[in-house]
């Protein structure tokens, strides 16, 4: 092998985590190479996004306009047939005081398009993107990761050297072992998912037509994601003791699950499953909740699914991937600039990342208790987030990915840009919610009662003023911790960051 090519940073994996980290590091003028083993666009599961990704991280990446113009289905919230309530209940992201109107929606995306947008955007920001290039091994020198060996598109082994390696190779990558930790699978969430795609299907009434629907049935739960008018993603999440049955007949297991879940069965009616092309296969994913015992070691950081993953019921995967990409980029940039020690910078990365993961983990564990009514789930959301709001607001904030209240995720200046057109949109959505609640029964009336809506509107005005005045300096999220710099791309000690 010839002498290694040198970079400041090597990112392994071109999913949302890798593209995010690579772009935000390249933005600071560092030489970044990204290795991706596939040629994009490539298929991936994880289609239901959260507002924090769409309006927060994508805005920082400079990809928000392209995402908004891509024609994805707008997702204003979620619908659940869950717990003891026989009727489905809905929530709107607009109920979160952290989001306000203009950022109170996300998208249902086909990941081929979404991930491709982020990867091409990284290349435009100066990242050397190398597709069909699979990382084979980490190179370690004196206990520190100093490079990566990879196989180029012709199959030739090549070596790269860098001050830092970011492993964003997802759940199937192997590089995470170089950080010296252990991947611990959750004993609680030991599930499998079997999923496929249908050529349409029914939609819920507005404003919930673009919502993800999660519907429990006697053996597990089903997701129903309206991707396009002619494309619906449907998956069954079952306990791992169903593994043999799924292995014997994936398609049969998916159909049986749909038959046992009346709300999804009725929405699908006689809609046919797609049987050709990328969406033509029934796929299975197993044992998918875990966290590594180490998220970083000298010379290497783990982000996205390479570090941890939690059950998909609240669509948190891409949020955790992009959020950890942002946190890692701040730490790498601070260390490369000589501003902070690795321990200080990556300690902040790991602390914030584990906090976000833990909040969702604790809430999801409570959410899986099907014996409860929705009010109990809302109460749990407030408990785990420790928010000084009412239960419903805490729930909407948590499941929007905004419970850390980071400016980078709630996007104060983006709000100003979008405020005028979107405030009318929110008002319309709120009015439609008002109309919908009459049909949804008394409890929904309670949830969407007027003071909450008024709070959302006044928060919108507050954030608009904050946007006009520029981003406010943030307080540390962790005790004794750091704060983001004004451009959101590195860390500073509290009190030293310009507002
Ligand atoms: P990935 O998207 O997996 O990207 C990793 C990239 O690394 C891939 O492109 C891969 O080709 C590349 N790679 C792997 N090995 C190498 C190597 N050796 N060298 C170079 N490149 C390599 N999330 C949501 O947000 N919403 C949902 O609705 C949702 N539903 C889900 C349903 C199920 C059943 C499951 C299992 C997950 C779901 N997720 C969902 C989670 C989501 O799929 C992931 O969390 C998300 O894709 C993680 O992004 P990432 O960038 O970390 O990894």
């Amino acid at each position: 092998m010839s002498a290694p090519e040198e970079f400041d940073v090597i990112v392994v994996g071109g999913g949302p985590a890798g593209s995010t980290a690579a772009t935000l590091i390249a933005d600071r003028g560092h030489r970044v190479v990204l290795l991706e083993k596939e040629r994009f666009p490539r298929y991936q599961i994880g289609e239901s996004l959260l507002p924090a990704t769409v309006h927060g991280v994508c805005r920082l990446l400079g990809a928000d306009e392209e995402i908004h113009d891509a024609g994805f289905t707008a997702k204003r919230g979620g619908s659940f047939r869950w717990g003891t309530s026989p009727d489905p209940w809905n929530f709107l992201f607009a109920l979160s005081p952290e989001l306000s109107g203009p950022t109170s929606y996300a998208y249902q995306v086909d990941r081929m398009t979404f991930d491709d947008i982020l990867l091409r955007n990284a290349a435009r920001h100066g990242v050397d993107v190398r597709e069909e290039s699979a990382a084979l091994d980490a190179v370690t020198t004196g206990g520190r990761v100093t490079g990566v060996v990879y196989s180029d598109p012709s199959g030739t082994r090549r070596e790269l050297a860098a001050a830092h390696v970011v492993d964003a190779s997802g759940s199937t990558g192997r590089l995470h072992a170089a950080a010296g930790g252990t991947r611990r699978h959750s004993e609680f969430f030991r599930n499998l998912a079997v999923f496929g795609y249908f050529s349409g299907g029914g939609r819920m009434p507005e404003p919930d037509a673009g919502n993800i629907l999660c519907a429990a049935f006697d053996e597990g739960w089903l997701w129903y994601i309206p991707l396009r008018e002619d494309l619906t993603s449907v998956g069954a999440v079952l306990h791992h003791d169903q593994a043999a049955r799924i292995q014997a007949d994936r398609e049969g297991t998916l159909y049986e699950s749909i038959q046992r879940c009346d709300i999804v069965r009725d929405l699908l009616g006689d809609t046919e499953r797609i049987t050709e092309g990328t969406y033509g296969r029934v796929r299975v994913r197993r044992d998918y909740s875990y966290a590594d015992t180490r998220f970083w070691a000298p010379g290497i950081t783990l982000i996205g699914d390479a570090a941890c993953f939690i059950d998909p019921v609240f669509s948190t995967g891409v949020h955790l991937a992009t959020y950890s990409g942002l946190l890692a980029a701040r730490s790498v940039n601070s260390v490369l600039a000589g501003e902070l020690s690795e321990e200080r910078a990556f300690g902040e990365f790991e602390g914030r990342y584990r906090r976000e993961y833990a909040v969702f983990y604790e809430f999801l564990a409570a959410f899986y208790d099907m014996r409860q009514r929705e009010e109990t789930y809302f109460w749990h959301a407030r408990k785990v987030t420790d928010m000084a709001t009412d239960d419903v607001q805490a729930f909407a904030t948590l499941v929007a990915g905004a419970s850390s209240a980071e400016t980078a995720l709630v996007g104060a200046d983006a709000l100003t840009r979008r405020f005028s057109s979107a405030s009318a949109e929110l008002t319309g959505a709120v009015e439609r919610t008002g109309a919908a609640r009459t049909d949804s029964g008394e409890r929904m009336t309670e949830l969407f009662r007027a003071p909450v809506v008024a709070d959302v509107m006044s928060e919108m005005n507050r954030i608009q003023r904050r946007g006009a005045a520029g981003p406010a300096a943030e307080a540390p999220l962790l005790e004794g911790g750091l704060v983001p710099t004004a451009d959101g791309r590195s860390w500073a000690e509290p009190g030293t960051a310009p507002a």
Side-chain angles (χ1 to χ4, degrees):
M1 240 181 336
S2 48
E5 248 184 296
E6 296 207 5
F7 289 88
D8 295 317
V9 177
I10 304 164
V11 175
V12 179
S19 292
T20 299
T23 303
L24 297 176
I25 297 169
D27 279 354
R28 282 287 178 89
H30 301 302
R31 294 166 305 155
V32 183
V33 62
L34 184 153
L35 303 175
E36 167 53 56
K37 75 172 181 189
E38 308 278 344
R39 176 149 296 275
F40 274 35
R42 60 91 178 90
Y43 174 84
Q44 177 60 290
I45 187 64
E47 295 140 337
S48 197
L49 303 188
L50 303 188
T53 301
V54 169
H55 303 286
V57 178
C58 287
R59 177 186 56 90
L60 265 184
L61 296 175
D64 53 337
E65 294 296 334
E66 209 179 333
I67 302 286
H68 293 305
D69 292 343
F72 298 128
T73 297
K75 166 188 172 185
R76 297 188 188 285
S79 298
F80 289 86
R81 221 274 311 276
W82 203 270
T84 54
S85 177
D87 301 318
W89 44 276
N90 310 309
F91 73 88
L92 290 176
F93 292 128
L95 293 175
S96 163
E98 290 301 331
L99 293 174
S100 91
T103 54
S104 61
Y105 64 93
Y107 291 115
Q108 314 286 15
V109 301
D110 83 82
R111 288 285 302 275
M112 281 190 289
T113 306
F114 179 77
D115 289 15
D116 198 50
I117 290 174
L118 294 192
L119 190 65
R120 303 296 154 219
N121 182 63
R124 277 198 301 277
H125 282 244
V127 176
D128 180 347
V129 173
R130 299 186 184 179
E131 292 170 84
E132 295 177 80
S133 298
L136 304 174
D137 243 323
V139 178
T140 305
T141 314
R144 181 181 181 86
V145 174
T146 53
V148 167
V149 175
Y150 79 102
S151 151
D152 78 6
S154 70
T156 307
R157 285 169 74 94
R158 298 191 180 279
E159 189 175 329
L160 303 174
H164 204 89
V165 174
V166 177
D167 178 19
S169 60
S171 59
T172 57
R174 292 281 161 263
L175 221 60
H176 61 90
T182 309
R183 185 174 282 188
R184 294 241 165 90
H185 281 83
S186 161
E187 279 304 312
F188 187 78
F189 298 107
R190 298 191 64 203
N191 295 330
L192 291 100
V194 52
F195 47 98
Y197 294 84
F198 291 77
S199 57
R203 299 291 180 249
M204 282 173 291
E206 290 293 351
D208 304 314
N211 285 8
I212 182 173
L213 167 68
C214 296
F217 64 106
D218 56 350
E219 286 186 329
W221 62 274
L222 279 159
W223 76 72
Y224 187 92
I225 301 176
L227 286 174
R228 294 193 309 251
E229 210 173 305
D230 61 347
L231 186 65
T232 304
S233 168
V234 181
V237 177
L238 305 170
H239 191 257
H240 73 108
D241 63 13
Q242 300 293 311
R245 173 179 161 218
I246 295 173
Q247 205 158 0
D249 183 6
R250 306 175 162 203
E251 188 175 11
T253 309
L254 178 60
Y255 279 115
E256 280 159 28
S257 302
I258 291 168
Q259 285 311 312
R260 294 167 93 118
C261 184
D262 52 358
I263 185 166
V264 171
R265 185 190 62 214
D266 293 349
L267 279 167
L268 278 178
D270 54 9
T271 312
E272 292 190 352
R273 187 173 76 74
I274 296 170
T275 53
E276 284 176 359
T278 309
Y279 292 116
R281 283 169 45 203
V282 174
R283 293 176 163 91
V284 174
R285 289 278 298 264
R286 64 193 70 229
D287 261 352
Y288 47 72
S289 290
Y290 54 81
D292 208 290
T293 53
R294 300 186 69 163
F295 283 2
W296 75 279
I300 186 165
T301 309
L302 316 184
I303 59 173
D305 282 7
C308 59
F309 179 66
I310 189 158
D311 184 278
V313 72
F314 279 113
S315 313
T316 45
V318 174
H319 163 63
L320 285 170
T322 51
Y323 182 50
S324 61
L326 164 66
L327 298 177
R330 287 174 180 166
S331 299
V332 169
N333 286 335
S334 299
V335 171
L336 287 179
E339 290 162 359
L340 293 170
S341 70
E342 280 191 339
E343 285 69 22
R344 184 84 173 120
F346 289 105
E348 183 73 25
F349 153 79
E350 177 153 0
R352 288 195 186 223
Y353 193 7
R354 285 204 189 275
R355 175 195 176 279
E356 192 78 0
Y357 182 82
V359 165
F360 280 116
Y361 190 98
E362 197 185 323
F363 177 69
L364 276 162
F367 195 75
Y368 260 79
D369 180 353
M370 301 273 185
R371 292 162 304 179
Q372 309 297 335
R373 288 158 59 97
E374 56 264 38
E375 289 84 345
T376 312
Y377 302 133
F378 299 151
W379 176 81
H380 271 291
R382 190 160 60 82
K383 185 165 156 271
V384 298
T385 55
D386 205 17
M387 285 179 71
T389 58
D390 76 22
D391 297 353
V392 183
Q393 291 176 334
F395 178 84
T397 304
L398 173 67
V399 299
S403 69
S404 64
E406 279 216 36
T407 309
L409 298 186
V410 294
D413 51 2
L415 297 180
T416 312
R417 272 193 277 127
R418 296 190 174 279
F419 180 79
S420 355
S421 64
S423 64
E425 202 183 321
L426 174 74
T427 310
V430 164
E431 277 164 9
R432 287 192 295 278
T433 308
R437 75 184 175 220
T438 336
D439 309 332
S440 310
E442 240 172 72
R443 270 177 296 153
M444 294 313 288
T445 310
E446 279 298 302
L447 299 183
F448 295 108
R449 65 189 185 276
V452 172
V453 173
D455 280 355
V456 170
M457 298 303 275
S458 66
E459 177 66 4
M460 214 162 79
N461 291 331
R462 192 179 70 77
I463 292 179
Q464 186 194 13
R465 284 197 299 277
R466 189 173 75 183
E474 283 180 46
L477 186 65
L478 310 172
E479 209 184 320
L482 300 166
V483 293
T485 50
D487 73 351
R489 285 168 178 73
S490 58
W491 299 117
E493 296 292 348
T496 63

